[in-house]
Amino acid sequence: MHKRFSIITIFPEMVNAYMGCSILKRAIERQLISVAVHNLRDYSVDKHHTVDDYSYGGGPGMVMKPDTFFRVIEAQWPKKDNIRVIMLSPRGRVFSQSVARELADESKELVFLCGRYEAIDERVSEHLADDEISIGDYVLTGGELPALVIIDAVSRLLPDVLGDSQSAEAESFSHGLLDYPHYTRPEQFREMSVPKVLLSGNHEAIRKWRIKQSLKATIQKRPDLLESYSLSVEEKLLLEQIKEEAS
Ligand code: 9D3
């Protein structure tokens, strides 16, 4: 299985820098994914390669022109079939692990439209994009980092992208609780020691300790996650223990 991503941006070098490192670089080399980066400016027809203009109705900031976005899509995908066009926008639905799974299961090529300046002409979201996604409620300077965030989260869910030692599922958020604490050598570091149970060799005790620590961390740091999480019988029991110990 090979997943194709394309990114339309006026800053191709930003995207190439990230894709040229670490796990995603390896995934490209192993032909598990491909990432094509298109410079939006190449599709502007005027002599200054203009991609933005003043806002009709006035107001601060420039608006990205619709025509260059339409032209790049029509030039690269003339029939516009087998692609899902995703516009990155603060007005989009909010990205999450479940949206990442949805996009990993999508068989179509994912084409990301990245904006800069104050806005993109509304006709792009209305008539060119299939989907509009935000990565959260904070203000960035453009859609490039959001596109990379999405490609990163989707790619690691694809078969074979992660090594055996770090399979995508066994982690925080994929099952709804926060991760338990992790330790490595040395056993003692500047008076700070590793919890005894982890050195005991008692696998059942370690498993229970980890579930309990996950529950504790979630209650303490992200109680909102626990609301929408359905506890197993064992987890309910351990949660009762935590409450008893606290009282
Ligand atoms: C005051 C109006 N601003 C909206 C909050 C204008 C504006 C600021 C920054 C419009 C776009 C941007 C650039 N941001 C993105 O393109 C963007 C984004 C983001 O800023 N946060 C979270 N997700 C995303 S996806 C694209």
Side-chain angles (χ1 to χ4, degrees):
M1 211 256 288
H2 178 90
K3 185 130 199 108
R4 285 179 197 285
F5 301 99
S6 284
I7 307 188
I8 318 293
T9 171
I10 60 169
F11 294 120
E13 53 298 350
M14 267 176 72
V15 173
N16 288 328
Y18 191 76
M19 296 312 305
C21 298
S22 188
I23 289 172
L24 295 186
K25 180 188 185 185
R26 236 56 79 201
I28 293 168
E29 287 167 356
R30 294 161 65 207
Q31 297 186 45
L32 300 169
I33 65 170
S34 57
V35 183
V37 186
H38 301 276
N39 191 339
L40 185 67
R41 260 185 223 290
D42 294 344
Y43 296 84
S44 175
V45 286
D46 71 302
K47 73 169 178 192
H48 295 109
H49 305 285
T50 312
V51 294
D52 62 323
D53 206 338
Y54 298 100
S55 179
Y56 273 125
M62 300 297 275
V63 177
M64 295 193 84
K65 295 159 66 61
D67 61 295
T68 39
F69 283 108
F70 278 81
R71 220 176 283 113
V72 60
I73 296 290
E74 286 157 6
Q76 294 296 323
W77 302 274
K79 289 185 288 184
K80 215 197 159 204
D81 54 356
N82 281 323
I83 60 168
R84 175 154 162 189
V85 179
I86 300 172
M87 186 180 136
L88 287 314
S89 158
R91 295 167 72 195
R93 64 185 172 126
V94 180
F95 191 63
S96 64
Q97 191 63 23
S98 64
V99 176
R101 265 183 232 110
E102 177 196 323
L103 296 179
D105 292 339
E106 169 69 82
S107 61
K108 291 177 173 174
E109 173 173 357
L110 303 181
V111 179
F112 296 94
L113 308 181
C114 304
R116 286 269 148 181
Y117 315 111
E118 271 304 292
I120 301 178
D121 187 288
E122 189 70 10
R123 289 164 287 193
V124 173
S125 62
E126 255 191 308
H127 300 288
L128 189 62
D130 301 304
D131 211 342
E132 219 178 327
I133 300 181
S134 159
I135 61 162
D137 295 336
Y138 37 83
V139 184
L140 302 171
T141 54
E144 287 78 10
L145 282 174
L148 289 170
V149 164
I150 294 171
I151 291 172
D152 196 285
V154 170
S155 294
R156 67 184 290 292
L157 292 176
L158 303 175
D160 305 327
V161 167
L162 295 187
D164 275 350
S165 63
Q166 37 179 340
S167 95
E169 276 319 302
E171 287 175 42
S172 170
F173 284 109
S174 55
H175 70 292
L177 293 179
L178 294 184
D179 210 355
Y180 50 78
H182 295 258
Y183 297 88
T184 186
R185 290 189 289 186
E187 194 181 316
Q188 189 87 20
F189 168 67
R190 301 186 185 172
E191 321 277 271
M192 298 175 276
S193 50
V194 174
K196 275 219 156 49
V197 62
L198 297 178
L199 313 170
S200 70
N202 183 341
H203 300 293
E204 180 57 14
I206 292 169
R207 195 185 61 80
K208 278 206 162 71
W209 181 85
R210 284 178 167 167
I211 297 173
K212 211 162 159 180
Q213 293 300 315
S214 276
L215 287 164
K216 277 188 179 176
T218 310
I219 294 165
Q220 221 176 69
K221 304 169 205 264
R222 292 293 305 278
D224 60 301
L225 290 180
L226 218 51
E227 304 279 304
S228 45
Y229 181 75
S230 78
L231 294 161
S232 69
V233 172
E234 183 182 36
E235 288 163 346
K236 277 182 187 153
L237 210 89
L238 292 168
L239 190 59
E240 288 313 310
Q241 279 184 28
I242 292 169
K243 285 175 183 165
E244 275 170 41
E245 287 162 14
S247 63

